[in-house]
Amino acid sequence: MAVEKTLILVKPDGTHRKLTGLVIDRLDAAGLEMVGAKMVSVSEKLAREHYKALADKPFFPDLIKYIRGEFHGFKDHRVMALAYRGENAIGKARAVAGATNPEHASPGTIRGSFGRITTTGHFENVLHASSDEADAEREVKLWFRPDELLKD
Ligand code: DAT
Ligand code: MG
């Protein structure tokens, strides 16, 4: 199995509900190594670039508001960005996260335990985890400068 890097974002619902530590703990327990970590004030540009593959979805405008913390009252758009490295890191992090739709996520996954669909119909699924190698490479580069990551 290849050694991979992957991007995790603790989204504004996760930081708002004090789940950052839990996310880090679960990723530690999955045997992944943290190689980058920072709080980020998410610009509109960064949000749109991050989610560009979903630009044609009806929920895209709300996705941008959500990742920028606008649903959670943050003035400074805070998200915790984490980069992890390890064997099969992408798959392991996705397994820790659980299914995209919190109603379908297995109990014991972060989304299964703590995600919700709000009364306004928005998915709040606590974290982002890169979905495949191409996405992971693009996303780690988008959120971290090379000098912000531990060397391989
Ligand atoms: P994932 O975050 O599991 O990689 P994705 O990349 O398909 O899922 O979608 C990105 C985010 O968009 C997801 O975390 C929540 C939101 N989203 C996806 N599908 C949705 C849907 N059908 N309705 C509402 N929000 C959705
Ligand atoms: Mg995705």
Side-chain angles (χ1 to χ4, degrees), residues 48-57 60 135 138-139:
R48 286 176 171 276
E49 185 62 26
H50 177 74
Y51 281 127
K52 71 179 180 187
L54 300 172
D56 57 349
K57 301 284 186 201
F60 183 72
D135 271 358
R138 184 184 82 84
E139 291 173 359

Side-chain angles (χ1 to χ4, degrees), residues 11 51 54 59 63 66 94 98-100 111 121-123 125 127-131:
K11 295 182 183 181
Y51 281 127
L54 300 172
F59 54 83
L63 205 50
Y66 168 30
R94 297 281 292 184
T100 304
R111 288 166 167 178
H122 296 104
F123 287 11
N125 59 12
L127 75 167
H128 168 83
S130 304
S131 59

Side-chain angles (χ1 to χ4, degrees), residues 5-8 35 82-84 130 135-145 149:
K5 277 205 203 77
T6 191
L7 178 81
I8 306 299
V35 294
L82 303 164
Y84 281 85
S130 304
D135 271 358
E137 201 185 323
R138 184 184 82 84
E139 291 173 359
V140 170
K141 277 194 186 132
L142 179 64
W143 289 81
F144 288 93
R145 296 192 314 264
L149 296 169

